[in-house]
Amino acid sequence: MAGGTAGSGTNFEAIYEAGGAVRMVRNETGVVVTGKRENQGGFAMADKTGPTEGAGGAPQAPELNEADFQYVLKALLAAYQPILEQQLNLAKNPQELEKQAQSHPPNCADEFAQAQALFQKFLSADVAARMIPEAQRAKLGAAESWNWCLREILCCVIFGWLVCRGPRTFRAWAYYVYQYWRCVRQAMDEPVANPPTEEQQADFRTLVNALAAAYKPYLTDQLASVEFPAGIPEEVIAGKIDCFEGQADACAIFERLLTPEAAQALLGKAAFERRRKDPNFWLCRCWCLCSLCFGCCLARSRTLYDVVWCLIYYFRCLVNCIQPLTCALTAPGGCVEEQEFDNVGVFRGVQIFGTAAGATCSHYTLEWRQGGVGPWQNSSIVYPGGGATGTCGVVGGLLGYLSTYPLVAAGLVEIQLCVYSSDPAVSPCCTQIYFQLQRNLVWIRGIEGLSAQMPPGIFDPTAQIVDGSGVVRSFGTALRVFGSADVGGCNGTTIKRYTLSYQPGFTTTTAGAWTKFWEVDYVTSLEVDAGTNLVFEDVLTKQWQEEQWWHLVPFPFPPHFVCNVIGNYLSEVYWSTQVPGGPYAVNYPDPPVNCGEAPVATWNSAPLPMPNCQSGKYTLRLTVEDTGGGLTDSLRQVWFDNKNIYGKIAQLGSVPACSTIGLSMFSGGSADCTKAWPAPLWGIAYDEYIEEGNFTLPSDNFGGYSLEIEKDGGSWHSLTIPGPGSSPWGPPFLGTSRVGDPGVRCPTAVPPPGMIPPTTNGILTMLDMRRLDSVCNTNPGDADLVLQRATKNTPGECCGFVVHLSVWDTSICPSLSGGRHQVDIYFPFCICNDLPPVS
């Protein structure tokens, strides 16, 4: 059915309570409050009045005396009668019952067939028209003009009846939503293909996602009751919880399910756009919601008495659908803090709640203006389900969103709602509401130019900081934290201070012990008023400095420079995760000079704690306090790495450093240039894991190692890894795996490393010593690397060589050379070309 928004239609928070239950309604803030207990079941009335009571407190049902009700009741009983008679006959004939039971085991097809037979017989056009108050029937028009609606109503009743016939899991609900979707598409003469098209599959996924959102509050409520059962025994004893408890839940799920997005997915985009222009669109949607709960009520009826009461409350529900044009705004009001609504693409905004309904309602609009003055604006308005206007049928529910940043300033804002009729003779219904917008631009975006992954985005504390490839990165030494700290607006409040804290481990709440490592206080009005002092998408690790302005004054003679200070300004600073006692570095343009207003004292930062060598998982917390005492927090999970990295070259072949060797040691004595002359280069290239035993990124952030060689101060030549390769000894030049073991670990490692192996060298690469021989290596690029063989007149060349080993990890360390952890090792040795001379 063409559904509305959450909270649309009648009040379905407790619309079905067969036999009597505690009525529940939402107050203006959306909180469920309990009211008077009704004596008879059925739907909780949309007008929230419940049934009237007669003598002795018995509920009265004036509908029983109405001819239209009697007509519809007889039609319903006539539809039930064949089913009841069949069951009665089987009860009198056990042999036939057993025979049919054996030949017809329970199956889903029979269930749907029974529902179709029951309600298709009942819901004729004549019966449906009798449900609408006589004074309003003319507005329906000719029967053929709303026949499409009647077909959808049949699907709604069937869905409600099927899904409520027994306890259903979320997965079972999804199955019945699928059947409901197929029924509606068939009713719209646009049946679902077999198999469904890609577009149809996308629509069904939208419906299941909407069902998940609608079903979750029910599960949350049940879980809360299970985990906190205190008070339930007293309520049971007092009669506040009885056999009707929870029978309102299904109708609440129906109401939350039929969002505008789900409505479009249910009908299909084209059909939805076509039907929303129909003058009976709102009535049909409201009718569907009533029918869903009516079908659910019938499914749970244990006697015909219950069936009668289901019909009574069905009539009362439909009365609410035939209402005049109605508009009301209930929220936002008072002081409202802007927040993110990622599901509709609102970066920062507020929700707008109220009512936009009426039997002839065609659409509604929302507008805003700053401070209650000036022209109305429709920019920054986002409607549920998209579109340029809102879809009618919202009663005490979500009307839309005002996207506040950047167009809407903090402070007083006015919202206007106008509801329009499909009847041009009916004037729009308009209403307004004021609220104060509290600016909330508070988040930790990331570190050193890298941001939290999108999705889930900066407002999700679990969003890891990633690079452009989506790889989670770690950080070390001195660094900058980026984000925003800008609040204020309600009753003139503004920022007072912001702090940065950390807590070991990953958390998504502000609970636990936090260590403050940064603080910026806004003490003077000049500090707050200067726009550059409000941090927005900038470095949060800042400290105050006095900005000096020097002006040349031409008189008195001779000219003088006069110092004139505007105020204190925030200057970018690096936070050291290792060095205690203050910021790592401050870039002042000039030495501070007091020109009138003293700079604010700088708060000394705190490094990370010593366990695990100041490395591991941490959660950063940004807390912004306003002058009204309000606190706004943002969390960001970060990997820090301050552990050592190790590099070593132990020996070349069997030759230690600073030794003199001959090429003949590697050539095998034959000097055959067609075969490699391998020489293993032994050493260590190792980076500690951030968390011992955790071999996933970024705990395992080993970056690699490289090798190069030079002769007697000449140019450096990259060595092939793993080697030996052959002329011209090209790539790969990068080692991607650890080699050897340093035999040491972080002494405060958490968790501990276990047994540490002894210092162990591995093979970094296999050098091909042919590369150093002038006969075997004729590559011009290696001309400054080769050793000349002896001739008749000259001995073989001897020269000093150096091998350079670089080992690094991928941690981002802006204060280090190269911006990462890296060690560089140099291995000198001398080689003589003692191979046979050149003839």
Side-chain angles (χ1 to χ4, degrees):
M1 185 56 212
T5 63
S8 62
T10 57
N11 175 30
F12 292 101
E13 185 65 43
I15 200 163
Y16 169 58
E17 298 161 334
V22 178
R23 294 173 59 246
M24 294 184 294
V25 299
R26 286 190 182 274
N27 60 21
E28 290 186 356
T29 62
V31 177
V32 175
V33 295
T34 59
K36 168 186 164 188
R37 185 180 184 276
E38 297 179 356
N39 294 320
Q40 290 289 342
F43 298 101
M45 290 306 299
D47 60 7
K48 305 179 182 69
T49 60
T52 58
E53 293 183 357
Q60 293 182 345
E63 293 87 354
L64 292 172
N65 299 318
E66 297 173 0
D68 288 333
F69 181 85
Q70 291 291 329
Y71 185 91
V72 176
L73 176 59
K74 289 179 180 178
L76 180 59
L77 294 176
Y80 263 99
Q81 185 173 347
I83 297 175
L84 297 176
E85 288 178 347
Q86 180 191 31
Q87 297 302 307
L88 179 60
N89 291 334
L90 289 174
K92 295 177 180 179
N93 191 345
Q95 292 79 12
E96 181 63 23
L97 174 61
E98 293 173 1
K99 179 181 177 181
Q100 292 193 21
Q102 188 173 8
S103 61
H104 290 88
N107 63 82
C108 297
D110 283 354
E111 185 182 44
F112 283 99
Q114 184 184 23
Q116 287 277 356
L118 173 61
F119 295 112
Q120 199 163 27
K121 181 178 181 181
F122 164 62
L123 273 178
S124 66
D126 185 41
V127 168
R130 293 289 191 106
M131 296 180 192
I132 302 299
E134 185 175 4
Q136 306 294 332
R137 288 176 199 165
K139 294 182 179 180
L140 288 174
E144 55 270 16
S145 68
W146 55 277
N147 186 53
W148 64 272
C149 178
L150 183 59
R151 295 197 303 269
E152 293 182 35
I153 295 301
L154 176 62
C155 296
C156 298
V157 176
I158 290 175
F159 174 45
W161 188 74
L162 290 174
V163 83
C164 291
R165 292 190 74 196
R168 305 293 192 194
T169 64
F170 171 74
R171 292 164 63 89
W173 270 77
Y175 167 73
Y176 286 106
V177 166
Y178 176 69
Q179 299 301 334
Y180 176 41
W181 174 60
R182 291 176 61 89
C183 180
V184 170
R185 289 293 179 98
Q186 186 69 41
M188 298 300 298
D189 296 323
E190 295 182 10
V192 176
N194 187 20
T197 65
E198 289 187 10
E199 181 179 358
Q200 290 171 343
Q201 292 182 46
D203 284 341
F204 182 61
R205 283 193 292 269
T206 298
L207 285 173
V208 173
N209 290 336
L211 175 64
Y215 203 81
K216 185 176 180 180
Y218 164 75
L219 294 178
T220 302
D221 179 66
Q222 297 304 302
L223 182 60
S225 297
V226 171
E227 293 188 345
F228 304 99
I232 290 180
E234 290 77 9
E235 291 185 72
V236 173
I237 293 171
K240 295 180 179 179
I241 297 177
D242 57 19
C243 63
F244 306 110
E245 176 68 28
Q247 293 189 355
D249 294 334
C251 287
I253 295 173
F254 291 144
E255 181 189 11
R256 294 191 295 265
L257 168 63
L258 294 184
T259 64
E261 295 89 341
Q264 181 168 301
L266 190 63
L267 274 69
K269 184 176 181 180
F272 179 79
E273 291 300 323
R274 184 171 66 252
R275 291 304 178 193
R276 70 185 300 183
K277 300 173 184 177
D278 192 290
N280 290 322
F281 183 76
W282 148 245
L283 171 61
C284 193
R285 180 175 55 198
C286 183
W287 199 338
C288 174
L289 285 169
C290 292
S291 300
L292 287 166
C293 293
F294 174 58
C296 186
C297 181
L298 291 178
R300 290 172 173 171
S301 295
R302 296 179 288 275
T303 69
L304 288 179
Y305 300 128
D306 294 336
V307 171
V308 173
W309 276 104
C310 288
L311 189 60
I312 289 171
Y313 284 103
Y314 189 30
F315 264 66
R316 295 181 183 181
C317 185
L318 290 175
V319 167
N320 189 68
C321 295
I322 309 296
Q323 59 180 320
L325 217 57
T326 305
C327 60
L329 286 170
T330 56
C335 178
V336 181
E337 186 176 279
E338 61 186 354
Q339 55 185 299
E340 181 204 26
F341 300 99
D342 184 58
N343 60 316
V344 291
V346 174
F347 176 71
R348 271 294 184 256
V350 298
Q351 291 178 305
I352 304 171
F353 288 89
T355 296
T360 63
C361 180
S362 63
H363 67 281
Y364 67 86
T365 60
L366 294 167
E367 297 174 300
W368 65 278
R369 60 183 179 182
Q370 201 80 51
V373 295
W376 292 103
Q377 303 181 59
N378 56 20
S379 60
S380 297
I381 294 292
V382 177
Y383 295 97
T389 61
T391 303
C392 291
V394 183
V395 178
L398 178 64
L399 292 167
Y401 305 82
L402 173 61
S403 181
T404 52
Y405 187 82
L407 295 181
V408 185
L412 189 65
V413 181
E414 185 179 11
I415 300 289
Q416 175 172 265
L417 163 69
C418 285
V419 181
Y420 295 87
S421 172
S422 57
D423 185 349
V426 178
S427 299
C429 175
C430 296
T431 186
Q432 298 81 34
I433 193 172
Y434 285 92
F435 75 98
Q436 285 190 310
L437 175 64
Q438 175 77 0
R439 184 102 285 160
N440 174 16
L441 302 177
V442 176
W443 57 81
I444 301 175
R445 176 165 291 279
I447 294 178
E448 286 304 318
L450 298 189
S451 298
Q453 190 170 27
M454 293 285 290
I458 59 174
F459 299 114
D460 188 329
T462 66
Q464 299 293 299
I465 301 177
V466 298
D467 59 21
S469 302
V471 176
V472 180
R473 301 297 294 272
S474 54
F475 304 85
T477 65
L479 45 83
R480 298 166 298 173
V481 180
F482 286 75
S484 295
D486 185 357
V487 298
C490 287
N491 299 318
T493 60
T494 187
I495 189 170
K496 182 178 180 180
R497 69 170 57 88
Y498 72 81
T499 60
L500 288 166
S501 309
Y502 62 71
Q503 181 178 148
F506 283 174
T507 181
T508 58
T509 72
T510 57
W514 295 87
T515 300
K516 181 169 60 176
F517 69 86
W518 208 270
E519 180 175 327
V520 174
D521 292 278
Y522 292 79
V523 179
T524 70
S525 60
L526 288 175
E527 293 164 0
V528 177
D529 291 342
T532 55
N533 288 339
L534 296 176
V535 180
F536 175 75
E537 291 292 17
D538 201 353
V539 177
L540 289 167
T541 47
K542 290 185 175 184
Q543 71 177 26
W544 292 109
Q545 106 180 61
E546 186 180 57
E547 186 80 13
Q548 301 130 55
W549 295 76
W550 295 89
H551 300 277
L552 178 63
V553 181
F555 57 84
F557 185 84
H560 294 279
F561 284 97
V562 177
C563 177
N564 179 20
V565 68
I566 301 298
N568 291 300
Y569 287 82
L570 286 174
S571 180
E572 181 179 309
V573 183
Y574 284 75
W575 166 48
S576 176
T577 63
Q578 290 181 293
V579 182
Y584 175 78
V586 182
N587 182 21
Y588 288 126
D590 295 296
V593 177
N594 191 328
C595 294
E597 181 178 309
V600 177
T602 298
W603 193 86
N604 287 334
S605 67
L608 295 173
M610 293 309 298
N612 204 36
C613 293
Q614 300 176 293
S615 305
K617 297 175 183 175
Y618 284 83
T619 302
L620 301 186
R621 175 184 180 182
L622 167 64
T623 302
V624 183
E625 181 181 355
D626 61 46
T627 52
L631 298 175
T632 307
D633 292 288
S634 176
L635 304 180
R636 177 66 53 234
Q637 296 176 352
V638 184
W639 285 83
F640 288 110
D641 180 16
N642 286 309
K643 290 189 174 182
N644 290 332
I645 196 163
Y646 305 89
K648 175 184 177 182
I649 299 178
Q651 59 190 49
L652 176 62
S654 58
V655 180
C658 300
S659 298
T660 300
I661 56 177
L663 282 179
S664 61
M665 292 181 59
F666 306 99
S667 67
S670 65
D672 183 358
C673 291
T674 64
K675 297 179 181 179
W677 304 348
L681 185 66
W682 294 87
I684 295 171
Y686 193 90
D687 174 45
E688 292 191 52
Y689 297 94
I690 297 178
E691 290 182 338
E692 290 293 336
N694 184 347
F695 308 120
T696 62
L697 285 170
S699 177
D700 179 3
N701 62 6
F702 179 71
Y705 69 91
S706 63
L707 291 160
E708 55 185 358
I709 188 171
E710 68 160 8
K711 171 191 172 187
D712 192 26
S715 58
W716 289 100
H717 298 261
S718 296
L719 294 177
T720 303
I721 300 174
S726 58
S727 180
W729 292 283
F733 301 128
L734 174 66
T736 57
S737 299
R738 291 171 174 81
V739 176
D741 195 291
V744 295
R745 297 293 187 275
C746 168
T748 60
V750 180
M755 182 166 296
I756 303 172
T759 302
T760 305
N761 295 315
I763 297 177
L764 296 167
T765 190
M766 294 291 288
L767 273 71
D768 188 343
M769 301 303 282
R770 291 179 300 170
R771 190 171 184 183
L772 305 185
D773 177 47
S774 61
V775 174
C776 293
N777 184 7
T778 59
N779 179 15
D782 286 345
D784 63 341
L785 189 64
V786 298
L787 293 170
Q788 300 298 320
R789 290 193 189 186
T791 65
K792 289 188 296 183
N793 301 319
T794 60
E797 183 181 6
C798 295
C799 198
F801 287 79
V802 177
V803 175
H804 170 216
L805 166 67
S806 287
V807 187
W808 63 88
D809 66 17
T810 61
S811 289
I812 297 174
C813 307
S815 66
L816 299 181
S817 176
R820 63 190 183 188
H821 294 131
Q822 181 173 318
V823 292
D824 292 280
I825 306 298
Y826 296 89
F827 181 86
F829 58 94
C830 185
I831 300 182
C832 292
N833 196 334
D834 59 349
L835 296 174
V838 178
S839 58

